[in-house]
Amino acid sequence: MKIRITESPFDPLAEVRDYQDEMRQQGKYGASAIFIGSMRDENEGEAILSMELEHYPGMTEQHLEKIAQEAGRRWPLLGTLIVHRTGTVNIADPIVLVAVWSAHRAAAFESCRYIMEDLKSSAPFWKKETTEGGQRWVEKNTPGYTD
């Protein structure tokens, strides 16, 4: 498992490739599922110019570790990677990467979605959007899947 929070832009596919090389699980996994979330140019019907993402250091990493550990208890995972941006994020920049590896596709798909949905609904990140009219805090995330 690897969890990283960064203020720097990142290349999600390079992160996946690097972690996969570090895992030393080649030949054991038959499936990987990857979710990449990027900065949109619109929210709640208004154009967004940029966004500031804040987190509580230590607490946020601990929460993400708990999510990943719970996914590992529910599904037979061979690897889990979570990378999340903070700081100033511009339109089209990757914000979040969740990648999982398992022997079979069902575990990969389901666990990746589980991690992402929990992250979006309960991880301690705060978003402040910049619009043409000024700045505003995002009070709620877009609705996600519930099982």
Side-chain angles (χ1 to χ4, degrees):
M1 170 182 16
K2 180 177 179 182
I3 294 168
R4 186 165 76 89
I5 297 175
T6 180
E7 285 197 31
S8 301
F10 67 94
D11 177 344
L13 297 180
E15 296 277 348
V16 168
R17 183 183 59 247
D18 292 347
Y19 182 71
Q20 192 166 284
D21 289 347
E22 292 170 15
M23 272 193 337
R24 295 180 175 35
Q25 295 284 346
Q26 286 79 359
K28 296 187 184 304
Y29 56 86
S32 56
I34 300 167
F35 176 87
I36 301 168
S38 301
M39 175 69 187
R40 289 177 310 200
D41 64 353
E42 181 274 332
N43 190 27
E44 297 181 4
E46 193 169 355
I48 305 300
L49 306 175
S50 67
M51 181 170 60
E52 291 291 323
L53 272 161
E54 297 180 8
H55 78 295
Y56 192 92
M59 184 171 86
T60 306
E61 291 88 346
Q62 184 179 25
H63 185 91
L64 297 178
E65 283 181 24
K66 286 168 91 173
I67 296 169
Q69 289 169 351
E70 180 59 25
R73 280 191 284 280
R74 291 180 178 210
W75 295 277
L77 301 181
L78 298 168
T80 303
L81 171 64
I82 302 171
V83 180
H84 205 294
R85 274 290 302 279
T86 59
T88 302
V89 181
N90 296 305
I91 303 304
D93 283 353
I95 296 172
V96 62
L97 163 68
V98 173
V100 295
W101 290 261
S102 184
H104 301 285
R105 70 184 175 278
F109 280 131
E110 292 168 13
S111 63
C112 187
R113 184 161 197 168
Y114 170 82
I115 292 168
M116 191 60 226
E117 295 299 336
D118 192 295
L119 186 156
K120 285 289 285 185
S121 65
S122 63
F125 288 100
W126 298 275
K127 303 174 189 176
K128 186 182 345 178
E129 296 173 331
T130 300
T131 69
E132 291 178 0
Q135 293 185 318
R136 66 181 183 197
W137 288 100
V138 175
E139 295 183 20
K140 59 183 167 73
N141 283 312
T142 54
Y145 170 78
T146 56
D147 54 8

